[in-house]
Amino acid sequence: MPRLLSALDYRCAAAPEIVLAGSPGRPDFESLHDAVFAHPGLNRVVAHADRDESLASVVAARAVARAREGPALAYVCRDFSCRKPTSSPAELARALDG
């Protein structure tokens, strides 16, 4: 039954793709990670962009989501269109709402 409900949820609303680019364990990356999982919406795809670009065949944001030096960034994409990346957990939460 839980899988059936998950499938129904996935069918009823487009799942946003969230790509986190940065180094896990760093406070800036972890604050973005926490913001994603604090959001009540369960229908989402979350990926971590690594330096090898191994997500290229999976994530719509593959052209823009690359791990890089500097602050961690979060990309929120829907229907193959990505919003401007953010490093702010509050902005990320707003992007997930809209």
Side-chain angles (χ1 to χ4, degrees):
M1 185 61 121
R3 286 188 181 186
L4 185 60
L5 290 174
S6 293
L8 180 62
D9 183 39
Y10 193 80
R11 175 74 172 128
C12 290
E17 294 176 337
I18 302 140
V19 180
L20 300 176
S23 300
R26 284 184 30 184
D28 57 345
F29 181 89
E30 294 303 324
S31 65
L32 293 174
H33 181 272
D34 292 346
V36 169
F37 288 98
H39 191 268
L42 298 177
N43 191 13
R44 62 186 168 229
V45 176
V46 182
H48 174 239
D50 60 7
R51 294 190 190 287
D52 298 329
E53 297 183 24
S54 61
L55 300 174
S57 64
V58 180
V59 179
R62 67 186 175 268
V64 292
R66 290 178 175 79
R68 60 189 203 34
E69 298 302 322
L73 294 173
Y75 299 82
V76 177
C77 306
R78 286 186 172 86
D79 299 322
F80 301 100
S81 176
C82 299
R83 299 181 111 179
K84 183 181 85 170
T86 183
S87 60
S88 164
E91 283 183 30
L92 176 56
R94 283 192 295 277
L96 293 174
D97 285 334

